[in-house]
Structures are given as structure tokens and as C-alpha cells.
Amino acid sequence: MVNRVTSQTMMATSQRNLQSSAAQLARVQALASSQQKISKPSDDPSGTADSLRVRVDQAATAQYGRNIDDGNAWLTTVDAALSSTTDILRRVRDLTVQGANDGALSPAAKEAIAKELEGLKTDLLGQANTKYAGRTVFAGTSDAGVAFDSSYTFTGTGTPVTRRLDGSTTVRVDADGAAVFGTGPGSVFALVDNIVADLRSGVNVGPQLATIDTHMNAALSQQSAIGANQAQVNKAEATNLQQSNALEAQRSSIEDVDLSQVVLQLKQQEVTYQSALAVTSRTLQPTLMDFLR
């Protein structure tokens, strides 16, 4: 059986071909302009699901990155405070050694040492109450505003401040103020007060050196712990950056188009569409008027 080919059939077929070419051209143009493979979930349901999973992982990695940055800032602040504390204690020790030389010092010289020690005690209190972002770094999760009050009482909670570095690792980012400075009558602040009182009353301050060394060792021990924690945070930072780059590459492979390939497809579709237009115009050119001429 031979099917009859009419002008209407030819026109309908030509229109379908033109619409198909135009649709393909529009699709490639949309890809080139958006540079996104997936404009709606129905474009690629499987790719959409993969994209959502990757974006969830990216959000978690970004949060861990913020935690790492914040933890690093805490640890840097604590380390600087402990370094200053150690320097102050060394100066306190040097002055105590000088003050212990009773035979060579006049009362005026001892008074000068006592006044400098009082200034150093104020500096120690300032270091002990160091803050980062409005939080005291030696008082744990306390919101008292200071780690040590005017009576040298430690106001910390005993609960450390931690930051999560990844899905399974947390690190402490503060320091135990009670372990570094002591508390109350046993604090380093009270120790300096005692040394000052002994200097002014004529009591030899040599026996206080051992206690000063104990506080210095405590500060150095805490500083070593802070250094170890900071090394852990720095390692986590490098790992987090690698993970972030890997996830971004994975997301890009799912969502982003290959621009060079899309440009090539666009040129091909433009040529195809122009060819379809030319062929259709020649095919549909004869009309009834042409036969009546």
C-alpha cells in the first residue's frame, strides 16, 4: 500500500522537524547561559539526589571549618596569655631572688622591689582574666565575666570549652585557670602578696622561690597542652581544606557543564537549525499560486 504524500503532510513534517531543532537549540542555549546541567529535578533525578548529598556534606564541612577557625583563635589567645604569664613569673622570680639578698638591700630598695611586684601581680590578674569574643579563656563555660575576682577566687565552671573538628573529633580550646594560677590563698596572686608583705616586714623571701617555680611549671605544662591542641587543630584545618576542595570538585562534576563541550554543541545545533530552515523553505516554496502563473 502506497501512502499519499500531500502538501499538508510535508508542511506538518517540516514543522515538526523545525520544532525539534529549535527545541534542541533552546536546550543547549539554556545550558550555555546557566552553565548548570540540572535546572530542575526532573532533568536528572539521580544527579539531583547525588547533588543534595554532596551539598549536605559541604555544609557540614563548612561548619567544621568555622569551628576550626574559632578554635584556632581561642588557642592562639590562650597561648599568648600563657606566654605573657610565664614572662611575668620569671620577672617575679628574679625580683624575689634580689629581695632575698637582705644584707645588700636597703629598705628603700626592698620597697622599690615590692612596688614592682605589686604591678606584676596586677598584670598577672589581667592575663588570668584574658577574654576572647567576650568569653574568659581560663574559666571554662563560666559567664561570670572574670576568671578570678578581687579575692582571687576562681569563678570557672570546670566544664571545658571544646570545638568539633570533624564528625568524630573534638578538641579543648581553653585552659584550666585554677591549674595555671591556683585559687584563693594558694593562688599565684596571693603568693606575690605574701612576698611583698615579707619584703616590707623584713622577712627573708628566699623560701618563696620554690612556690614560684611550682607555678611556673604549671603554666609551662598548660602551655605545652595548648600547643598540642593547636597542632591538632592545624592538622584538622589542612584536612578540612582538602575535603572542601574534593567535595566542590564532586559537586561541579554533577551540576556544572563542560563549557567547551556545550559551546561545540551550540554551534552544531545552530548549524542544524539553519540547515533545517533552509531545507524547509525550499520544500514549502511551491504553492498554488506558483501553479497558476
Side-chain angles (χ1 to χ4, degrees):
M1 180 178 179
V2 178
N3 292 326
R4 183 184 177 193
V5 178
T6 65
S7 296
Q8 291 288 346
T9 303
M10 293 175 62
M11 289 178 63
T13 301
S14 298
Q15 287 178 348
R16 284 196 300 269
N17 290 337
L18 275 176
Q19 289 294 329
S20 176
S21 295
Q24 289 294 328
L25 179 59
R27 183 186 66 82
V28 178
Q29 285 176 333
L31 285 175
S33 61
S34 68
Q35 300 185 20
Q36 296 290 312
K37 293 179 184 177
I38 305 172
S39 60
K40 54 185 181 298
S42 59
D43 290 343
D44 185 356
S46 176
T48 300
D50 291 340
S51 175
L52 289 174
R53 283 193 292 269
V54 170
R55 285 184 175 274
V56 168
D57 291 341
Q58 281 186 309
T61 301
Q63 181 59 60
Y64 294 142
R66 290 189 290 271
N67 294 348
I68 289 169
D69 291 341
D70 185 65
N72 210 352
W74 271 79
L75 290 167
T76 299
T77 303
V78 175
D79 183 67
L82 288 173
S83 294
S84 296
T85 296
T86 303
D87 292 340
I88 293 170
L89 287 175
R90 287 196 180 97
R91 181 55 181 167
V92 168
R93 193 182 194 285
D94 290 343
L95 290 173
T96 303
V97 170
Q98 294 178 28
N101 192 0
D102 292 332
L105 292 177
S106 64
K110 287 188 176 182
E111 179 61 23
I113 292 174
K115 285 186 177 297
E116 184 175 351
L117 285 171
E118 287 177 334
L120 291 172
K121 183 198 71 173
T122 301
D123 292 342
L124 279 173
L125 268 172
Q127 295 301 324
N129 289 323
T130 296
K131 294 182 179 181
Y132 171 72
R135 300 270 304 277
T136 49
V137 299
F138 289 108
T141 57
S142 171
D143 59 357
V146 293
F148 293 89
D149 59 22
S150 58
S151 65
Y152 312 144
T153 300
F154 181 59
T155 64
T157 61
T159 304
V161 178
T162 61
R163 291 292 179 268
R164 181 167 291 280
L165 306 180
D166 54 39
S168 60
T169 307
T170 59
V171 65
R172 181 173 185 174
V173 297
D174 69 331
D176 185 355
V180 177
F181 300 98
T183 182
S187 67
V188 68
F189 319 113
L191 172 63
V192 176
D193 284 342
N194 293 336
I195 295 172
V196 169
D198 288 346
L199 284 170
R200 287 172 174 166
S201 63
V203 177
N204 188 273
V205 296
Q208 304 284 12
L209 291 172
T211 309
I212 295 173
D213 290 340
T214 299
H215 284 288
M216 287 183 63
N217 290 334
L220 290 171
S221 177
Q222 284 291 313
Q223 193 169 13
S224 296
I226 291 297
N229 290 348
Q230 194 151 28
Q232 184 179 3
V233 169
N234 291 337
K235 182 179 179 181
E237 183 178 22
T239 302
N240 181 268
L241 180 60
Q242 292 175 355
Q243 180 71 7
S244 179
N245 291 338
L247 287 171
E248 177 57 22
Q250 189 176 353
R251 183 210 60 77
S252 179
S253 68
I254 297 171
E255 297 182 5
D256 298 343
V257 300
D258 183 343
L259 191 57
S260 61
Q261 183 179 5
V262 169
V263 170
L264 180 60
Q265 289 178 355
L266 181 60
K267 292 297 183 183
Q268 290 174 340
Q269 288 300 325
E270 287 176 347
V271 171
T272 300
Y273 184 61
Q274 294 295 331
S275 298
L277 283 174
V279 171
T280 301
S281 67
R282 294 182 66 83
T283 302
L284 298 181
Q285 187 175 12
T287 66
L288 179 61
M289 295 302 297
D290 294 318
F291 292 103
L292 294 177
R293 287 177 182 176

